[in-house]
Amino acid sequence: MFRNYLKVAFRTLWKNRTHSLINIVGLSVAFGTCVLLFLTATFELSYDTFHTDADRIFRLNFLTTNRDGSPNKSGTMPFPISPALKAEFPEIEGVSRWFDRSASVRHNNQMYSKDIRMADADFLQMFTFPLQKGNAKTAMNSLSDIVISERMAKDIFGKEDPVGKPLQLRMNDSWKAFTVTGVISNAPKNSTFSYDALVRSDNAAEYQESKSRWDFGNHDVYIKLKAGTDPQTLQRRTQAFIEKYFAQEIKDQKQQGYPKNELGFQKSLLLEPMRDVHFDTETTDSEGISLTYIYTLMLVGLFILAIACINFINLTIAQSLSRAREVGVRKSLGAQRWQLFGQIWGETLVLCFIALLIGLGLAYIILPTFNRLFQSHLALANFLKPSALLVTGLGFLLITLMAGGYPSWFVTRFNAVEVLKGNGSAFRGKMSRPGLLRNSLIVTQFTIACLLIVCTLIVRQQINYLQQKPMGLDKDQVVSIPVGNEINGTVALKAMRDRLSNQPNITAVSGSGVNIGSGLDGNSSRMMFGFMYGKRDVFCDWLRVDTDYLKTMGIKLLQGRDFSADFGTDSSSNILITQSMAKKLGETNPIGKFIKPDNKQFQIVGVISDFNLYSLHQEAQPIALQMQSKFPISYILIRVNPQNLTAAMGNIKTVWKTTAPKQEFIGSFLDENTERWYKKEQRLSTIFSSAAGIAILLSCMGLFSIALLSIQQRTKEIGVRKVLGASVVSIVALLSKDFLKLVLVAIVLASPLAWWAMDKWLADFAYKIDIEWWVFALAGALAIVIALVTVSFQSIRAALMNPVKSLRSE
């Protein structure tokens, strides 16, 4: 019996091969797309879940409010908070600071550039990064201990046992000796932490100066609670701790009228679950991944799958008239409804299984391209995980039940007697005129397609706006070179400036502690200070620069003077401030005034125009520019003439190799760096545009098939109309208008949904576009044109047909 059912299924699929092909193509594309999108979403959601005690690990955040009452969260912690918390709260099992740092490593006169992270001794026992060699309890007891990753051990020591071997790290502009005390497993790709090696956080250059300062922070802090500890109870208990150690800050905020935070206090400590850190975009300088992005991936996958399923349901129901006699004969021979249901649903199962295999094959073929476009880390192993196979199998069965269940039930309802008498009017009417279900499904298809088109247009507009909005500086023709760890930044800057001074294609050379945009080194840093100016609370970015910074970056000087080598105090106690900082100070002419951040007095010698130091996701903060030598020059900035950029970059590379022969040249243009700020938005744009293209293609395939079947069922009607004098245009209009009405309904439904979704998305940007009406009009026009072209192809063909052929059987 099963063999017979299988034969009939393949025979039926081959008989209706055009519609079978459309269904297989649609479902295979949908299956392949869904598998890739769902695996990507699952990978992102799996971040940090591999830690055995992830539910007991938390990252610390401060919660305060801005003067306007908006909440302000910060993950930057002061040095003394870690030991104080461990000493005063016995329910805390472990505490560790975390610094994202890099350094040069030297061994046997060989140099390596590695990600050397700083943490505390508890780190190895808090997190599930197993030690392959060494003891987790003692491996970071000494300041000279270093724990290296398996990857770094192989790079430097090969097959040798590295434990006990010496290494030198370039830290704080000098070489320091370390001893390898352990080999740690490489961090998984779904880990918030990445490292090549770990050393004690006490090695940080600023540690000795800041270890007892509660008003200076530059690192993250993680805590692990003892089993059975309620994190919410502990969080409430830390309020007294905060009011004890931050009493002066809280007092100042109260005096200035700052509103209380959402918990009812001036300053609070929040415990952020470890599993949520990867999705925190507020306190990670936009390094986190928004959950909205992940849910968008899943939603887009469901949309595409829904369109393919709608095509299948519509086509199967539309074809059911041709199977009426078969069903009648089977029923008259004693077939039960459940047997007929199984037969017809079995055909769905076969077709969907073929589509699934093709879809998985397509997904595997395009996997490298997908990973490159979406910066994903999927591999064949992700497909073969038992959980992925189980979900795929269950999803496959669910889809076949949904897509094949209703059409199978619909077909088995036919009355055998009426069918065999040749009286199909009871159901032929339903087939010849659009039914409510079919109309609803077509509207749903085009609603999804219009929604994706609108989202694509708005995301693209916003990206263009971000890339083209003036930043207050001229980012074109400026090369940024990360200094690295091989050479002191100030020394490198002087050497580069001297060697490039006679080059005609070099306009200006300067240096900075912060890069503009995302450079090829992948590093990002930020230093901010808060201080009192009279009764005003001022918060600003603290930017290390060198002479000629304004000239190199094209920033306007509004008042006073620029930094100059002729003034010795410029490198110790003078600063430049931006226009917005002058407003914060309440000074129309701040030249000569003094401020006191970092417990040191500085005199304002110039006011410059505002500029964006960081991405336009966040509003530009007031900036103070200073030249203190204790803050390093991390980037050399070079403005070149636009006439020959290639030659200028070649000259810069040559000079750099002379200046720092052991440091790789990874310079890049600032305009390229700023584009990389918005790589997540670029990914989202690619997702929407790809999904919109697939959705439109599948919708058109479905509409094409439905139009074909509908016209076939109205062949005689068309013949009669032509005999009675109907023109080709009137027939095309008659056949097309019903479908176009459905597309118009879809546009009306999609527009408010798209506006709401994009308005929510744009709310994350400090600088954003206004959503214009013409975007919806353009998306609607595209949908109408595409639908009209799809339907008209068959309509014109039917209208041009010889009526004699269609009426011959009458």
Side-chain angles (χ1 to χ4, degrees):
M1 181 66 73
F2 175 76
R3 185 179 176 186
N4 180 57
Y5 278 178
L6 201 60
K7 272 186 180 180
V8 173
F10 277 111
R11 193 178 296 149
T12 304
L13 293 177
W14 179 251
K15 180 182 176 183
N16 301 294
R17 48 188 174 274
T18 302
H19 300 298
S20 298
L21 180 63
I22 288 172
N23 278 327
I24 288 173
V25 170
L27 286 170
S28 60
V29 169
F31 281 137
T33 304
C34 278
V35 165
L36 290 174
L37 292 179
F38 281 129
L39 283 178
T40 301
T42 304
F43 174 79
E44 295 293 343
L45 291 171
S46 72
Y47 257 74
D48 299 316
T49 56
F50 61 88
H51 296 295
T52 305
D53 300 317
D55 58 327
R56 294 197 280 135
I57 302 173
F58 299 84
R59 194 183 71 151
L60 301 184
N61 288 318
F62 287 131
L63 177 64
T64 58
T65 54
N66 298 312
R67 192 181 289 274
D68 61 2
S70 59
N72 180 34
K73 279 176 64 177
S74 170
T76 303
M77 295 290 138
F79 276 98
I81 198 171
S82 300
L85 281 169
K86 196 169 184 181
E88 298 190 23
F89 294 95
E91 54 264 68
I92 294 179
E93 184 178 302
V95 181
S96 180
R97 305 179 184 105
W98 178 261
F99 291 79
D100 272 321
R101 299 283 172 91
S102 59
S104 292
V105 180
R106 187 166 67 187
H107 178 69
N108 291 341
N109 295 322
Q110 288 288 324
M111 307 284 289
Y112 307 87
S113 182
K114 297 293 181 181
D115 292 328
I116 310 297
R117 311 307 193 192
M118 296 185 182
D120 292 330
D122 286 346
F123 181 87
L124 298 176
Q125 298 173 73
M126 289 170 59
F127 299 96
T128 308
F129 297 116
L131 280 188
Q132 304 303 313
K133 295 181 180 179
N135 187 332
K137 294 181 179 179
T138 61
M140 292 180 68
N141 280 355
S142 170
L143 282 179
S144 60
D145 290 342
I146 181 170
V147 176
I148 64 176
S149 68
E150 292 176 288
R151 181 175 50 251
M152 181 168 165
K154 185 178 180 181
D155 288 348
I156 296 178
F157 297 101
K159 295 182 179 180
E160 284 185 69
D161 183 358
V163 176
K165 299 287 197 308
L167 283 177
Q168 288 185 309
L169 303 185
R170 186 171 178 82
M171 305 180 72
N172 314 325
D173 292 329
S174 63
W175 290 99
K176 185 175 179 181
F178 285 82
T179 302
V180 178
T181 54
V183 177
I184 192 171
S185 300
N186 296 328
K189 290 179 179 177
N190 60 340
S191 171
T192 295
F193 301 114
S194 63
Y195 52 77
D196 287 319
L198 302 172
V199 297
R200 286 276 295 270
S201 63
D202 312 40
N203 287 294
E206 60 273 28
Y207 177 75
Q208 290 302 324
E209 181 184 345
S210 306
K211 64 182 179 180
S212 55
R213 285 184 58 184
W214 289 85
D215 62 343
F216 172 79
N218 65 347
H219 60 275
D220 294 334
V221 171
Y222 292 84
I223 65 171
K224 182 178 180 180
L225 307 185
K226 290 181 179 176
T229 302
D230 179 30
Q232 293 303 315
T233 302
L234 177 63
Q235 182 173 293
R236 287 192 293 271
R237 288 188 58 218
T238 60
Q239 192 58 49
F241 173 89
I242 292 295
E243 292 178 359
K244 172 183 174 182
Y245 290 104
F246 295 91
Q248 187 58 49
E249 180 184 339
I250 292 171
K251 181 182 176 183
D252 291 340
Q253 287 191 346
K254 284 180 178 178
Q255 288 177 347
Q256 296 165 49
Y258 272 73
K260 293 180 179 180
N261 61 34
E262 60 193 45
L263 300 178
F265 304 99
Q266 296 296 139
K267 190 182 185 83
S268 302
L269 194 65
L270 301 181
L271 274 60
E272 182 177 34
M274 183 68 208
R275 291 191 179 102
D276 294 346
V277 173
H278 179 63
F279 312 112
D280 185 344
T281 57
E282 185 178 356
T283 63
T284 55
D285 291 327
S286 300
E287 290 297 314
I289 296 291
S290 171
L291 277 171
T292 304
Y293 171 76
I294 295 168
Y295 293 144
T296 299
L297 288 180
M298 300 174 77
L299 197 60
V300 165
L302 286 175
F303 280 166
I304 292 171
L305 194 57
I307 289 174
C309 289
I310 287 170
N311 279 350
F312 185 89
I313 292 169
N314 273 341
L315 284 175
T316 306
I317 292 175
Q319 285 178 284
S320 60
L321 181 61
S322 63
R323 303 198 66 175
R325 195 172 297 277
E326 175 196 343
V327 171
V329 170
R330 286 179 178 275
K331 278 190 173 184
S332 67
L333 294 175
Q336 300 296 313
R337 283 191 65 177
W338 67 266
Q339 290 176 311
L340 293 170
F341 179 90
Q343 165 68 49
I344 298 169
W345 181 72
E347 293 171 11
T348 301
L349 194 66
V350 170
L351 188 144
C352 286
F353 184 69
I354 294 170
L356 178 65
L357 293 179
I358 295 172
L360 291 174
L362 287 173
Y364 180 72
I365 291 169
I366 67 170
L367 187 61
T369 305
F370 181 87
N371 282 337
R372 187 177 66 254
L373 284 176
F374 298 108
Q375 280 94 52
S376 296
H377 304 280
L378 298 182
L380 184 60
N382 295 98
F383 288 90
L384 302 177
K385 284 182 179 178
S387 57
L389 294 174
L390 178 63
V391 171
T392 302
L394 292 175
F396 170 74
L397 290 175
L398 181 63
I399 289 163
T400 54
L401 280 172
M402 289 173 57
Y406 177 77
S408 302
W409 172 80
F410 181 86
V411 172
T412 58
R413 286 192 310 159
F414 292 160
N415 186 299
V417 175
E418 294 293 328
V419 168
L420 294 176
K421 280 182 178 179
N423 181 14
S425 60
F427 50 84
R428 189 179 289 115
K430 294 178 183 178
M431 296 285 78
S432 61
R433 292 188 298 273
L436 178 62
L437 176 65
R438 193 194 74 179
N439 286 355
S440 301
L441 294 177
I442 291 174
V443 167
T444 302
Q445 278 186 315
F446 275 90
T447 299
I448 293 170
C450 291
L451 180 68
L452 293 172
I453 292 171
V454 171
C455 291
T456 300
L457 293 174
I458 292 176
V459 170
R460 175 48 54 192
Q461 274 187 292
Q462 176 65 8
I463 292 172
N464 290 340
Y465 173 78
L466 293 174
Q467 292 175 341
Q468 294 171 12
K469 186 184 183 299
M471 294 177 58
L473 50 81
D474 183 4
K475 62 182 184 292
D476 295 326
Q477 291 96 48
V478 178
V479 178
S480 170
I481 307 171
V483 173
N485 302 296
E486 297 294 334
I487 188 171
N488 177 280
T490 306
V491 173
L493 174 59
K494 185 179 185 306
M496 291 290 287
R497 187 176 270 152
D498 291 344
R499 289 168 178 158
L500 292 172
S501 59
N502 60 350
Q503 296 280 351
N505 51 7
I506 304 299
T507 305
V509 180
S510 188
S512 173
V514 175
N515 202 359
I516 301 291
S518 179
L520 296 179
D521 60 337
N523 290 336
S524 176
S525 63
R526 187 169 198 169
M527 183 172 289
M528 303 188 79
F529 279 111
F531 59 92
M532 297 299 298
Y533 183 76
K535 293 186 177 182
R536 292 173 176 266
D537 186 37
V538 181
F539 202 59
C540 69
D541 278 301
W542 194 250
L543 177 63
R544 166 71 157 104
V545 299
D546 206 82
T547 54
D548 288 337
Y549 185 79
L550 302 188
K551 181 181 178 182
T552 304
M553 301 303 297
I555 299 171
K556 293 179 182 178
L557 179 69
L558 303 178
Q559 291 177 270
R561 64 173 180 83
D562 192 1
F563 287 135
S564 171
D566 298 332
F567 295 88
T569 52
D570 279 0
S571 60
S572 58
S573 59
N574 291 342
I575 61 169
L576 303 176
I577 65 171
T578 56
Q579 197 173 13
S580 58
M581 185 165 173
K583 289 179 182 176
K584 282 275 187 183
L585 299 175
E587 299 283 358
T588 54
N589 184 15
I591 305 301
K593 299 291 192 293
F594 291 88
I595 62 172
K596 199 174 181 181
D598 199 22
N599 294 321
K600 182 179 178 180
Q601 186 165 272
F602 292 86
Q603 185 176 31
I604 300 169
V605 297
V607 178
I608 62 176
S609 60
D610 288 324
F611 65 96
N612 288 90
L613 188 58
Y614 297 96
S615 81
L616 301 184
H617 286 94
Q618 49 198 303
E619 223 169 309
Q621 294 289 337
I623 305 172
L625 284 66
Q626 47 82 24
M627 288 179 52
Q628 292 181 89
S629 58
K630 72 174 184 177
F631 296 105
I633 292 289
S634 301
Y635 298 90
I636 295 173
L637 304 168
I638 304 170
R639 176 167 290 282
V640 300
N641 284 323
Q643 283 79 12
N644 196 338
L645 297 179
T646 306
M649 181 63 92
N651 291 342
I652 292 168
K653 281 183 183 179
T654 303
V655 172
W656 176 255
K657 287 179 181 177
T658 307
T659 305
K662 295 181 179 179
Q663 181 67 45
E664 181 187 4
F665 178 85
I666 48 175
S668 56
F669 285 99
L670 287 191
D671 54 350
E672 297 171 351
N673 290 356
T674 54
E675 284 185 12
R676 280 190 284 269
W677 264 340
Y678 310 113
K679 59 186 179 182
K680 282 187 284 190
E681 286 70 33
Q682 293 280 11
R683 286 206 301 270
L684 193 62
S685 174
T686 305
I687 289 170
F688 277 134
S689 57
S690 303
I694 293 171
I696 290 168
L697 177 63
L698 295 183
S699 297
C700 288
M701 287 169 63
L703 191 62
F704 177 86
S705 298
I706 292 295
L708 178 59
L709 283 170
S710 178
I711 290 166
Q712 285 175 350
Q713 292 162 11
R714 299 177 71 177
T715 301
K716 290 182 175 61
E717 177 193 343
I718 294 168
V720 170
R721 287 180 180 275
K722 287 198 73 175
V723 168
L724 295 176
S727 66
V728 172
V729 174
S730 65
I731 291 174
V732 170
L734 174 72
L735 296 174
S736 304
K737 68 178 182 179
D738 290 336
F739 293 108
L740 292 182
K741 284 178 185 176
L742 299 179
V743 175
L744 288 171
V745 172
I747 294 165
V748 172
L749 292 175
S751 296
L753 289 173
W755 181 88
W756 177 82
M758 288 293 96
D759 187 61
K760 290 287 184 186
W761 178 70
L762 289 171
D764 290 337
F765 295 89
Y767 305 93
K768 57 192 176 186
I769 61 168
D770 293 322
I771 300 177
E772 302 285 351
W773 66 267
W774 62 262
V775 174
F776 303 98
L778 178 60
L782 280 172
I784 290 171
V785 168
I786 291 168
L788 187 60
V789 169
T790 304
V791 174
S792 295
F793 176 78
Q794 287 298 333
S795 301
I796 294 170
R797 189 176 171 189
L800 293 174
M801 187 184 296
N802 189 340
V804 174
K805 290 183 179 179
S806 58
L807 297 174
R808 184 181 295 159
S809 63
E810 302 293 333

